[in-house]
Amino acid sequence: MSAGAGKAASAFLLYASGACFLVGAAVTVVDVSLRAAMGANVPAAIELTSLSIGLGALISMPVCYLKRSHVTAKLLSELSPRRFARPLGFLGALVSVGFALLLFWIMLANVLEKLGSPETTSDLGLSKPLALIIVAITMGAGLIAALVSLVWPRIGGAR
């Protein structure tokens, strides 16, 4: 994978994530405006907002893994960058791979358990197994991004 492909994938995911957040914000603004102006509301506004913002957060996770931009504490690497930055960066990337693998494994087990279930979301009637498949796919993308960041840290812009 080239650095250009990694940056293009990151940009696409960030735009998609941003679009999800904008949808959630727009639904909320329209719902509040309708309530104030006409005493009406957007049907399933809470579920639409929750699902779109949740999807936006999930879609941004692979970018965080790829760029190693998750929350870190740089105590030792700030004291002596030459000595600690690379080994601790590698250790952090390794732990990220383990965490991403755990999340993917849990979601995959959940998907396999719920596959074929007739469950739907309460307001929109969306298939819960399909929603879980989407979450599992994003967790899989996160795992791939964490692995890429571990093997080729420069692709995502990590140091």
Side-chain angles (χ1 to χ4, degrees):
M1 177 185 262
S2 70
K7 288 182 182 185
S10 291
F12 172 77
L13 291 174
L14 287 177
Y15 284 126
S17 178
C20 289
F21 288 119
L22 285 174
V23 166
V27 168
T28 301
V29 167
V30 170
D31 187 52
V32 169
S33 298
L34 279 175
R35 287 176 193 264
M38 297 184 216
N41 65 333
V42 174
I46 293 172
E47 193 169 292
L48 276 169
T49 302
S50 299
L51 291 175
S52 63
I53 290 175
L55 182 60
L58 286 171
I59 291 172
S60 68
M61 286 177 67
V63 178
C64 291
Y65 285 124
L66 188 64
K67 293 182 176 251
R68 292 188 186 179
S69 59
H70 37 274
V71 176
T72 59
K74 295 182 178 184
L75 302 174
L76 292 175
S77 63
E78 291 296 318
L79 291 174
S80 181
R82 290 180 186 227
R83 181 180 295 171
F84 294 114
R86 279 198 179 168
L88 291 178
F90 180 78
L91 180 63
L94 193 61
V95 170
S96 290
V97 168
F99 183 67
L101 179 63
L102 182 64
L103 288 175
F104 178 66
W105 182 262
I106 290 168
M107 282 311 306
L108 190 60
N110 202 355
V111 164
L112 293 174
E113 180 183 315
K114 300 282 185 180
L115 212 54
S117 169
E119 291 180 84
T120 59
T121 60
S122 58
D123 293 333
L124 296 172
L126 300 174
S127 168
K128 282 189 179 179
L130 179 60
L132 289 173
I133 289 170
I134 292 169
V135 173
I137 289 169
T138 60
M139 292 296 148
L143 175 58
I144 291 167
L147 286 166
V148 167
S149 178
L150 178 67
V151 177
W152 298 294
R154 297 268 182 229
I155 286 180
R159 291 169 192 74

